[in-house]
Amino acid sequence: MPSVCLCLTHVLGLCLGLLCLLFVTLWSAHWRGGFSWDGSALQFNWHPVLMVSGLLVLYGYAAVVYRLPFTWSQKKRVWKLVHAGLMFLALVLSVLGLCAVFDFHRFIHVPHLYSIHSWVGISAVVLFAVQWALGLAGFLLPCSPLWIRSSLKPVHSWIGKAILILSVTACISALKYPTHYSTMTFFIFFKDSLPAEAKFVNSLGLLIVAFGLVTFGILSNEKWQRFELPGSITHK
Amino acid sequence: MPSVCLCLTHVLGLCLGLLCLLFVTLWSAHWRGGFSWDGSALQFNWHPVLMVSGLLVLYGYAAVVYRLPFTWSQKKRVWKLVHAGLMFLALVLSVLGLCAVFDFHRFIHVPHLYSIHSWVGISAVVLFAVQWALGLAGFLLPCSPLWIRSSLKPVHSWIGKAILILSVTACISALKYPTHYSTMTFFIFFKDSLPAEAKFVNSLGLLIVAFGLVTFGILSNEKWQRFELPGSITHK
């Protein structure tokens, strides 16, 4: 019988993920002027929304599909395809998110990849792409030998968690408010109270961290793994 | 026989931790003007050094002591004391690091805890303090019952990893260069090439992420656990 605690943790993760999407969309739409795809700051606004949607929330949801108790009685191959499909969608959203910020940089003539946020973020996306391709080759292609599957599984699982950590780190390192004031200007104007936008952005940050930790918690608990007999890794 | 791979991973983690300490100290000493304890920016410079030393590197070293192969043949109680002692030192350094930044804020009359960096960082330190106190009460006091020890162990292990993730996230979210220019000023002056300090700070960021992931890797591999018979949790 699936643990009630696991089900409640899944519901918590689902809600936190949806709240992350709501908050990041509201931030771009309400405080940052909305969306466009013309190279301007309005195109940049797609960047946080697409990265949080793809590299964090959808990635997190896709990572835990094998730990949904109702899937344990069903064929694993179906859920492998769901896992790979959701991960592919997450990767596409992440790449679109990168296009949004690269186009914006070209539009205002500033260099790409200058901050630690960008270095960590691009590492996460590159690792994600490599992980997806290796996962496809190792676990879904019928020709991959069983010994490769069993050797790759712990590595795949460990890199998957590492990508989640990189993703949370990249998101949080990007949440700087205000984006267009220097630190000193900020203090001169706002020293007595934090503006509503800053509180909102910080709350988004806490939601992102909470979502990451809950997802990581589901993945880390050995008792919440899909039950498999030792040596039962097959092509099915 | 301890795995060669585990030993090499320990050496890698040790080197990355030392490099983190070297880089953060050089950053504060060379680019940010050195150290003092007078409320000025020179007191602030202790903040990154103490937080990276305590909340990241020493914390990480203390977290993996049970996974050092040469300790497996020795009494666990000795290594419990080493683990608790190193963690206490890490906590003291972290609290001193917080004092450095709070004093600086008072000196220049700006509010505390305004950024997502500070929210994540303070959460990490509070969770660390609670974890240390619960660990002491649960695992070191002779009066704690065995059923509490066995129930607490997975929670202690999971919260320990969560603190490491929060710590890496807090460190990376703090590494903003330049600290006293606005983003736009930065681009006007440096649009064609990244200044040496920015490259140095970004490299420190990559070292911090790499140290976090290697430590996390050592903690996550089940095969690298200290061997214990099922139900063998004792007061020794």
Side-chain angles (χ1 to χ4, degrees), chain A residues 140-157:
Chain A
L140 273 176
L141 293 187
C143 57
S144 74
L146 290 181
W147 69 267
I148 282 198
R149 293 180 182 224
S150 55
S151 313
L152 195 60
K153 202 177 168 188
V155 180
H156 186 79
S157 160

Side-chain angles (χ1 to χ4, degrees), chain B residues 88-117:
Chain B
F88 183 72
L89 188 57
L91 187 57
V92 169
L93 291 177
S94 309
V95 172
L96 284 175
L98 292 185
C99 292
V101 70
F102 285 168
D103 277 1
F104 172 65
H105 285 168
R106 273 191 291 271
F107 187 78
I108 61 166
H109 305 290
V110 300
H112 306 305
L113 302 174
Y114 59 89
S115 63
I116 184 65
H117 157 69

Side-chain angles (χ1 to χ4, degrees), chain B residues 64-152:
Chain B
V64 299
V65 289
Y66 296 126
R67 306 215 168 199
L68 288 165
F70 74 87
T71 69
W72 295 346
S73 57
Q74 298 170 9
K75 278 191 181 169
K76 189 164 183 186
R77 185 156 183 88
V78 174
W79 290 97
K80 273 188 183 178
L81 290 170
V82 172
H83 177 73
L86 288 176
M87 283 296 185
F88 183 72
L89 188 57
L91 187 57
V92 169
L93 291 177
S94 309
V95 172
L96 284 175
L98 292 185
C99 292
V101 70
F102 285 168
D103 277 1
F104 172 65
H105 285 168
R106 273 191 291 271
F107 187 78
I108 61 166
H109 305 290
V110 300
H112 306 305
L113 302 174
Y114 59 89
S115 63
I116 184 65
H117 157 69
S118 59
W119 289 24
V120 175
I122 203 82
S123 306
V125 176
V126 169
L127 200 59
F128 184 12
V130 172
Q131 166 93 330
W132 192 85
L134 282 180
L136 182 78
F139 299 115
L140 274 176
L141 293 187
C143 57
S144 74
L146 290 181
W147 69 268
I148 282 199
R149 293 180 183 224
S150 54
S151 312
L152 195 59

Side-chain angles (χ1 to χ4, degrees), chain A residues 92-173:
Chain A
V92 168
L93 291 177
S94 309
V95 172
L96 284 175
L98 291 185
C99 292
V101 70
F102 285 168
D103 277 1
F104 172 65
H105 285 168
R106 272 191 290 270
F107 186 79
I108 62 166
H109 304 290
V110 300
H112 307 304
L113 301 174
Y114 58 90
S115 63
I116 185 64
H117 158 69
S118 60
W119 289 23
V120 174
I122 203 84
S123 305
V125 176
V126 169
L127 199 59
F128 183 13
V130 172
Q131 166 92 331
W132 192 86
L134 282 180
L136 182 78
F139 298 115
L140 273 176
L141 293 187
C143 57
S144 74
L146 290 181
W147 69 267
I148 282 198
R149 293 180 182 224
S150 55
S151 313
L152 195 60
K153 202 177 168 188
V155 180
H156 186 79
S157 160
W158 146 238
I159 293 180
K161 287 182 203 153
I163 294 168
L164 184 66
I165 296 174
L166 289 175
S167 172
V168 170
T169 307
C171 287
I172 296 301
S173 67

